[in-house]
Amino acid sequence: MKKFVLNEIQNCRVLVIGDAMLDKYYFGEVTRISPEAPVPINHVTKIKETLGGAANVAHNLALLGCQTFLIAHIGNDIHGETLSKKLIARGIDISGAVRTSQPTTTKIRVIGGAQQMLRLDFEDIADIDEKIFLPNIAVRIPDIDAVIISDYGKGVCTENLCREIISLCRLQNKIVVVDPKGSDWQKYSGANFITPNLKELNAVLPKKIANVDAEIESASRMIIEKFNLQGLLVTRSAAGLTLIDKKISHIKAKAQEVFDVSGAGDTVIAVFTLGLAGKLSSETAAYLANVAAGVVVAKVGTYAVSREELLERIDSL
């Protein structure tokens, strides 16, 4: 299995388009309450900065040996400088990214022990000008194997831009996979796959469904037909993943302790798309994505899985 995976998914070329973020963590211990106000005092012992959002998707791809390109907006601020340096250090091509006057989307989390105490968000949500992004996207699509649209609702993945990306990919027979946001999926019509979690799937349904196989299957079939998709890959927390395309595959999560699910969806779409780009079957790609997600949820904070970790986990199953 290890040799098979290495041969099939390494050296693929994937373009990620979406909302890049910087995730910053202050880890510490809480031992007393502040005398100034009834709030806990966190004695900070470690600070961690990592890639989030679409940048985390790109990070996962790069660590798995993929040649990765990221098109996003990055602010002209200190957080943008940190984000850019981290992306470049991972070998991710950001030559198509656009620097803007908007602040770099940044999430700061304060962790006491293993418990998140507070999150601070720095952002200015506004739709980007598609005309600035489209030339950078169009010139790269002919030379890549797959495109990921990582929509976090921060302004990059506008309706017009998504439609243009999907149209270009279909004309050139390129795989396009979408991590969705919001209740209007019309802009994703014609994509190969969409990878929602249960909450995101419910956001687009007329009536909410439970985390039950039969309900997931029925709702997914309706969504696939409505939006002209090849299939859906639904992430279902402890229930694992469900892949619906030509057939239905329920892939159960492995029993383990879960510390943090943040970033797990980024890992799922990265590994699944990389598998498709490497000509794996959608079922095998979904299996790999499920294994990778199992590595990520056992970590505290946003985390990108490496090829070595993924292969070690596969061999242990």
Side-chain angles (χ1 to χ4, degrees):
M1 174 61 112
K2 181 178 285 190
K3 183 178 178 182
F4 170 73
V5 172
L6 276 172
N7 289 344
E8 297 298 326
I9 70 172
Q10 67 180 357
N11 300 323
C12 290
R13 296 163 61 89
V14 178
L15 170 61
V16 181
I17 304 161
D19 301 296
M21 307 177 194
L22 179 68
D23 284 344
K24 192 167 184 176
Y25 295 85
Y26 289 90
F27 295 96
E29 296 293 337
V30 176
T31 57
R32 61 194 180 101
I33 301 298
S34 171
E36 303 168 354
V39 295
I41 295 175
N42 189 336
H43 176 223
V44 176
T45 56
K46 184 174 74 171
I47 299 173
K48 176 184 175 183
E49 293 177 319
T50 189
L51 301 167
N56 187 40
V57 177
H59 191 191
N60 276 274
L61 290 166
L63 289 184
L64 291 168
C66 176
Q67 189 171 353
T68 309
F69 304 83
L70 175 65
I71 293 181
H73 74 71
I74 300 174
N76 287 310
D77 52 25
I78 188 64
H79 291 151
E81 290 301 318
T82 300
L83 183 63
S84 297
K85 288 177 181 177
K86 287 186 172 294
L87 288 163
I88 292 168
R90 286 300 183 188
I92 298 165
D93 187 322
I94 60 170
S95 59
V98 176
R99 301 302 294 253
T100 73
S101 59
Q102 293 174 242
T104 302
T105 300
T106 304
K107 297 178 181 179
I108 296 178
R109 298 174 176 91
V110 179
I111 313 292
Q115 178 67 45
Q116 184 176 150
M117 300 172 58
L118 178 69
R119 193 178 97 179
L120 304 174
D121 288 6
F122 296 80
E123 62 185 16
D124 181 9
I125 299 174
D127 286 354
I128 53 89
D129 182 353
E130 297 94 346
K131 294 177 182 177
I132 298 174
F133 277 74
L134 270 174
N136 294 347
I137 294 169
V139 76
R140 283 166 177 78
I141 286 179
D143 297 322
I144 51 86
D145 300 302
V147 171
I148 293 174
I149 297 175
S150 179
D151 190 353
Y152 273 81
K154 306 301 182 184
V156 170
C157 302
T158 64
E159 180 175 352
N160 288 339
L161 188 67
C162 288
R163 288 180 182 275
E164 289 285 352
I165 293 166
I166 293 168
S167 177
L168 286 168
C169 287
R170 294 193 68 146
L171 284 172
Q172 299 179 53
N173 198 29
K174 303 294 183 179
I175 298 163
V176 57
V177 184
V178 180
D179 191 355
K181 190 73 174 180
S183 60
D184 182 9
W185 287 9
Q186 198 63 48
K187 64 181 179 179
Y188 310 134
S189 291
N192 292 85
F193 286 91
I194 299 180
T195 62
N197 58 33
L198 184 62
K199 180 180 178 181
E200 290 163 343
L201 181 60
N202 270 320
V204 77
L205 296 174
K207 182 180 179 181
K208 287 189 175 182
I209 61 171
N211 197 1
V212 176
D213 289 356
E215 294 189 33
I216 297 285
E217 293 169 17
S218 177
S220 296
R221 288 294 187 198
M222 182 266 288
I223 293 296
I224 289 168
E225 182 176 356
K226 180 177 181 179
F227 298 113
N228 188 27
L229 308 171
Q230 179 181 333
L232 282 184
L233 180 63
V234 184
T235 59
R236 301 172 54 189
S237 299
L241 305 178
T242 291
L243 173 70
I244 305 96
D245 55 358
K246 293 179 181 178
K247 63 178 183 177
I248 297 171
S249 303
H250 297 294
I251 305 168
K252 300 303 180 184
K254 303 300 178 183
Q256 65 184 353
E257 190 170 4
V258 175
F259 286 98
D260 195 341
V261 298
S262 61
D266 299 333
T267 298
V268 166
I269 195 171
V271 177
F272 179 65
T273 305
L274 186 53
L276 297 178
K279 310 300 182 186
L280 301 182
S281 69
S282 56
E283 186 174 9
T284 301
Y287 169 79
L288 290 176
N290 187 54
V291 174
V295 175
V296 170
V297 298
K299 309 292 184 179
V300 176
T302 306
Y303 186 83
V305 63
S306 70
R307 182 171 57 184
E308 291 72 24
E309 286 175 301
L310 179 57
L311 298 179
E312 181 181 346
R313 186 64 180 271
I314 289 169
D315 283 352
S316 70
L317 297 176

